[in-house]
Amino acid sequence: MGKKVVVKIKELTKANGISLRELSRISNVRKASLSELANGKRESISFSHIEKIAAALNIQDIREIIDLVDAEEPEQDIAQA
């Protein structure tokens, strides 16, 4: 089983009592980008976005923003098996 990097946007907004819109405003990262990260629709994040989010939320440890987890195996389509 492989590993996957997860960006913890939902956890950050909840822990800080702010919305994605507010995080976007204070970090200067587009709300659409934050939403895609929060919903697992985006597979990459730039270092500059990590830096902006960290600065906006006064985060000193990158592990508060990203995590490395076990990747789930893709489900096989039974019809194709």
Side-chain angles (χ1 to χ4, degrees), residues 25-63:
R25 187 187 69 74
I26 63 176
S27 67
N28 200 28
V29 175
R30 289 182 331 112
K31 181 181 176 283
S33 296
L34 294 172
S35 179
E36 289 170 352
L37 288 166
N39 294 311
K41 306 274 184 185
R42 177 176 269 209
E43 294 185 6
S44 65
I45 183 171
S46 70
F47 286 130
S48 68
H49 284 176
I50 293 170
E51 292 166 351
K52 289 177 179 182
I53 292 166
L57 299 177
N58 197 28
I59 292 173
Q60 302 300 316
D61 187 342
I62 194 170
R63 292 174 291 186

